[in-house]
Amino acid sequence: NFNCVNFIRCHLTAVDCSSLVNVINVQQISHLDLSFNNIGPLGCLEIGKLLKCRESQLSWLNLTGNQLTDEAAKYLAEAINNINCQLRMLVLTSNKISDIGAQHLAEAINNNNCQLRMLILSFNKISDIGAQHLAEAINNNNCQLRTLNLSGNKISDIGAQHLAEAINNNNCQLRTLYLIANNITEAGKRKARNLLSNSQSKCELII
């Protein structure tokens, strides 16, 4: 009987996150929604303390629209790499995460300790370089991710090809990949779909 705690549009900053970490009972909370605040990278550093707590039951975290940068992604990646972290779903929609942040997160989901099943990175600033880092991660059988959402980024045909080749690999455990609203041409979409149509991939590509 775990609880969901919502602080949506509460004008929270990093300082507020520090206070939140000190008062929240991680043994009774499974879902935490901090959407549309302004917690920034230092706020993520504080939230990471919650995720790394041995008693933490936090499995769902929404940080949509929080001005999160690559530095924030680095702090979150360090947290989800921790053996105590129970997080299964991480939502980072509408932030400022670029290829560097994508690389930090790719390295994290490639780690045996990471329990993440769903990673939402829609509407950030990830290009083909970040897509390649993520493709390499989901290609590894250590990665337990089932859903990856990269819609609304800056991925072109090249990045789409890297990702399609990754989900075509037998090691890949991904079941849904979203690439809507990127810079992928119709020819690039056809090429990615054709690659999967000739394979035994269990992953649905939504492009």
Side-chain angles (χ1 to χ4, degrees):
N1 296 317
F2 295 124
N3 298 318
C4 177
V5 175
N6 295 325
F7 289 98
I8 303 170
R9 298 184 190 277
C10 291
H11 307 288
L12 299 184
T13 65
V15 174
D16 298 311
C17 284
S18 179
S19 302
L20 186 66
V21 167
N22 291 325
V23 300
I24 211 165
N25 188 335
V26 291
Q27 291 179 292
Q28 295 183 349
I29 294 170
S30 62
H31 290 52
L32 179 60
D33 195 336
L34 297 174
S35 301
F36 302 107
N37 286 288
N38 190 25
I39 70 168
L42 293 179
C44 286
L45 182 62
E46 294 299 326
I47 296 301
K49 295 175 184 177
L50 277 182
L51 297 174
K52 291 186 278 189
C53 178
R54 189 171 61 181
E55 293 82 19
S56 178
Q57 297 295 328
L58 201 61
S59 63
W60 187 96
L61 177 62
N62 190 345
L63 297 175
T64 294
N66 265 287
Q67 307 293 317
L68 303 186
T69 61
D70 294 330
E71 184 184 4
K74 179 183 178 182
Y75 293 141
L76 290 169
E78 289 171 355
I80 62 177
N81 253 347
N82 189 282
I83 195 167
N84 292 327
C85 182
Q86 301 296 312
L87 205 64
R88 299 294 192 274
M89 179 173 178
L90 177 59
V91 185
L92 298 172
T93 298
S94 299
N95 282 294
K96 298 178 179 181
I97 297 167
S98 74
D99 296 331
I100 296 169
Q103 183 177 5
H104 289 312
L105 291 164
E107 290 169 356
I109 62 175
N110 208 10
N111 188 293
N112 278 331
N113 289 336
C114 182
Q115 302 294 314
L116 214 60
R117 299 295 189 275
M118 183 177 291
L119 177 60
I120 313 297
L121 284 166
S122 49
F123 299 97
N124 277 281
K125 298 181 177 182
I126 299 167
S127 74
D128 294 332
I129 297 170
Q132 184 172 4
H133 288 307
L134 290 162
E136 290 169 358
I138 62 175
N139 209 4
N140 190 303
N141 55 13
N142 284 340
C143 180
Q144 300 185 57
L145 213 61
R146 298 296 185 272
T147 300
L148 176 60
N149 192 332
L150 293 170
S151 296
N153 278 283
K154 299 179 178 181
I155 298 167
S156 75
D157 294 4
I158 297 169
Q161 184 71 11
H162 286 311
L163 289 160
E165 288 172 356
I167 61 177
N168 195 32
N169 190 295
N170 288 334
N171 287 336
C172 182
Q173 300 186 57
L174 209 66
R175 294 296 174 263
T176 313
L177 172 62
Y178 294 88
L179 289 174
I180 300 165
N182 274 283
N183 299 329
I184 305 165
T185 65
E186 289 304 315
K189 292 176 184 179
R190 282 195 302 272
K191 189 174 181 181
R193 290 191 188 107
N194 288 340
L195 181 64
L196 294 181
S197 67
N198 297 321
S199 75
Q200 295 182 339
S201 173
K202 297 178 181 178
C203 183
E204 180 182 8
L205 176 62
I206 302 171
I207 193 168

